[in-house]
Amino acid sequence: MNIPFCLPENISPETFLREYWQKRPLLIRNGLPQIVDLFEPEDIMELALEEEVTARLIQCKNEKWSVKCSPFVEDDLQNLPEQWSVMVQNLEQWSPELGKLWQAFGFIPQWQRDDIMVSCSPLGGTVGKHYDEYDVFLVQGYGQRRWQLGKWCDPNTEFKPNQPIRIFDDMGELVLDEVTNPGDVLYVPSRMAHYGVSESDKGLTFSFGLRYPNATDLLENFCKTIEQQADTINSSEFHIPFRLSPNEQPSALLDPRTVKTFKHHLIDLLQNSEQFDELLTHSVATAVSSRRYELLQTDNEYYPDEVQEVLEAGGWLQQDANVKILYTENPQRLYVNGEWIDELNETEMALLIRIANGDSISWNKLASKVQDQAELELILDTICDWLDSGWIILSEAE
């Protein structure tokens, strides 16, 4: 099943990225009707009790907030105050049907996908007025929620003191005040103040979060790349020609001028070294293809004849929403969940790239890419490895 983009008919992906992305919010009525009836509040409350689930219970009593993290026992979710929210992260890990809804946001590069979180709240439930350091599409899945959006925030925005969550009182001038119904989608740009309050006895709001790596992530991955590939680095290209005349500074002082000289040489190296570009590309690719949550291990085991039978009967292969797959050019490399997959042949590389770009692979598409029966058997073996690893999923004909 292909899920169309959630955008209104009068807003193309190009228009959204040019006029809305990280600039202003957008409310899309019935933008994702496929989410309706996927979950009920009881489903989320039961899921939050699973040992391997990452969840939080946020409560507020007498204006004092508290946060409890999973694992939970049943007593944790009983006798709650009027103000509470249960939030479950990485929900696509537990629901392939929900994970497929990432297709509705396919106009955003998949390397920016973080995870799908759900918030379950009673009437009046909220997590306070706040902002996030990531872009998010808020999708109402059950019940109703009132959303208010206000000012732009920054790292200097002041939060309430002595609270375990980052909340504030001042929303600034409101730019949106609407109630969302099941299937409605609200895009909230990074750092925009927002405030959601449940208007139903129990409501479910799903957050499709999108992130950029920060400087710390990139530098950490680059240092790892330098360390891992030390044997292949041409050290002469990374030599910094240090030419400074002695001065009258104390002999033990590392003076600012010297530090600035190193800085300029490093910047020049970054801008002009092809080897540096290749190392940086690798480190960025590993950073942005990494997941925050480990994959749930399963006992599934696939066999070539089984896969062939499903495909010949009209089934298809597609990317599992739990993984992040991306590729680079010059050199062409493919990365899965933060790992460079460096043992792919030309056919395997082309097939994974098509899958990563959102293509569903049918039997006819697969058979057209191989030269003979021997190559077909080899690619079926490889596909079984990808299925066992959780990179792709096999869907039967509907």
Side-chain angles (χ1 to χ4, degrees):
M1 177 179 66
N2 291 321
I3 308 296
F5 292 161
C6 67
L7 297 173
E9 292 184 0
N10 63 331
I11 298 180
S12 66
E14 294 77 15
T15 299
F16 175 84
L17 294 173
R18 183 178 62 251
E19 299 182 8
Y20 292 89
W21 180 250
Q22 298 186 333
K23 295 182 178 70
R24 55 177 171 148
L26 177 65
L27 176 60
I28 310 164
R29 294 294 185 188
N30 202 35
L32 195 57
Q34 297 85 354
I35 204 169
V36 180
D37 296 329
L38 269 186
F39 292 91
E40 293 186 356
E42 290 72 21
D43 300 325
I44 300 304
M45 299 299 285
E46 291 177 6
L47 182 61
L49 294 172
E50 295 287 338
E51 184 176 352
E52 295 178 288
V53 163
T54 301
R56 289 171 293 160
L57 170 61
I58 298 178
Q59 304 176 73
C60 184
K61 190 173 183 179
N62 299 324
E63 298 188 2
K64 181 65 179 178
W65 294 81
S66 66
V67 179
K68 182 177 177 61
C69 297
S70 58
F72 297 137
V73 296
E74 289 191 18
D75 286 349
D76 292 326
L77 305 184
Q78 302 295 325
N79 301 316
L80 298 173
E82 291 185 3
Q83 186 73 270
W84 60 268
S85 294
V86 169
M87 310 176 82
V88 178
Q89 301 282 161
N90 195 29
L91 199 61
E92 61 265 58
Q93 181 78 79
W94 304 93
S95 171
E97 294 81 10
L98 181 67
K100 290 179 181 179
L101 299 189
W102 270 119
Q103 297 178 45
F105 310 97
F107 48 92
I108 307 294
Q110 70 159 289
W111 62 260
Q112 293 186 36
R113 295 178 189 172
D114 189 24
D115 75 323
I116 305 173
M117 182 190 75
V118 64
S119 175
C120 178
S121 304
L123 180 65
T126 181
V127 294
K129 301 170 182 176
H130 66 286
Y131 76 91
D132 298 311
E133 292 284 358
Y134 55 88
D135 295 83
V136 64
F137 289 90
L138 300 166
V139 185
Q140 196 65 22
Y142 189 95
Q144 296 178 308
R145 183 174 289 259
R146 179 184 179 187
W147 287 102
Q148 294 179 323
L149 275 60
K151 66 182 181 181
W152 291 98
C153 303
D154 59 44
N156 296 317
T157 299
E158 293 187 6
F159 297 101
K160 283 187 175 182
N162 304 317
Q163 297 287 1
I165 57 177
R166 304 193 316 168
I167 56 174
F168 46 71
D169 289 322
D170 180 19
M171 287 282 291
E173 182 179 353
L174 295 183
V175 298
L176 182 142
D177 188 348
E178 297 282 354
V179 173
T180 53
N181 301 303
D184 290 347
V185 179
L186 174 61
Y187 166 65
V188 181
S190 171
R191 293 190 175 181
M192 173 167 274
H194 52 284
Y195 180 44
V197 180
S198 179
E199 297 265 305
S200 306
D201 179 40
K202 279 187 181 177
L204 298 179
T205 303
F206 295 82
S207 302
F208 290 73
L210 299 136
R211 292 179 184 264
Y212 285 95
N214 59 35
T216 300
D217 297 329
L218 294 178
L219 289 172
E220 179 180 346
N221 274 272
F222 183 71
C223 290
K224 287 180 181 178
T225 298
I226 294 290
E227 181 180 358
Q228 293 168 355
Q229 302 193 25
D231 295 339
T232 65
I233 292 174
N234 181 357
S235 59
S236 63
E237 185 174 345
F238 284 77
H239 174 69
I240 294 179
F242 189 74
R243 295 289 185 270
L244 280 180
S245 301
N247 53 43
E248 297 180 358
Q249 299 289 348
S251 61
L253 175 67
L254 179 62
D255 65 281
R257 187 180 68 170
T258 301
V259 174
K260 183 174 288 189
T261 298
F262 277 113
K263 175 183 175 181
H264 288 322
H265 282 307
L266 285 171
I267 291 174
D268 182 67
L269 185 65
L270 184 150
Q271 292 178 331
N272 300 306
S273 165
E274 291 184 4
Q275 188 177 16
F276 187 97
D277 287 346
E278 183 176 329
L279 293 171
L280 183 61
T281 298
H282 175 78
S283 64
V284 171
T286 56
V288 301
S289 64
S290 296
R291 283 176 46 85
R292 283 200 297 154
Y293 304 96
E294 292 186 5
L295 284 177
L296 183 68
Q297 298 301 313
T298 67
D299 296 327
N300 294 337
E301 190 171 358
Y302 291 85
Y303 299 93
D305 56 345
E306 172 193 357
V307 172
Q308 181 172 344
E309 181 179 348
V310 172
L311 292 177
E312 287 182 331
W316 65 90
L317 299 163
Q318 64 184 141
Q319 180 180 342
D320 192 312
N322 291 303
V323 305
K324 297 175 75 173
I325 305 176
L326 61 84
Y327 60 94
T328 63
E329 297 178 336
N330 302 321
Q332 188 175 72
R333 292 178 175 176
L334 190 134
Y335 297 80
V336 180
N337 291 345
E339 297 290 334
W340 170 28
I341 311 302
D342 60 348
E343 297 180 353
L344 298 172
N345 61 37
E346 185 176 339
T347 301
E348 294 166 347
M349 173 74 79
L351 183 59
L352 268 183
I353 286 177
R354 288 187 65 174
I355 291 174
N357 281 328
D359 199 358
S360 296
I361 304 301
S362 64
W363 176 250
N364 289 337
K365 290 180 181 178
L366 180 63
S368 67
K369 295 299 180 182
V370 297
Q371 301 298 320
D372 51 38
Q373 183 63 29
E375 186 178 7
L376 178 61
E377 292 176 358
L378 288 174
I379 194 65
L380 284 171
D381 282 334
T382 300
I383 287 172
C384 288
D385 291 338
W386 297 346
L387 287 164
D388 292 341
S389 299
W391 297 358
I392 60 176
I393 55 177
L394 176 65
S395 298
E396 297 187 4
E398 296 177 352

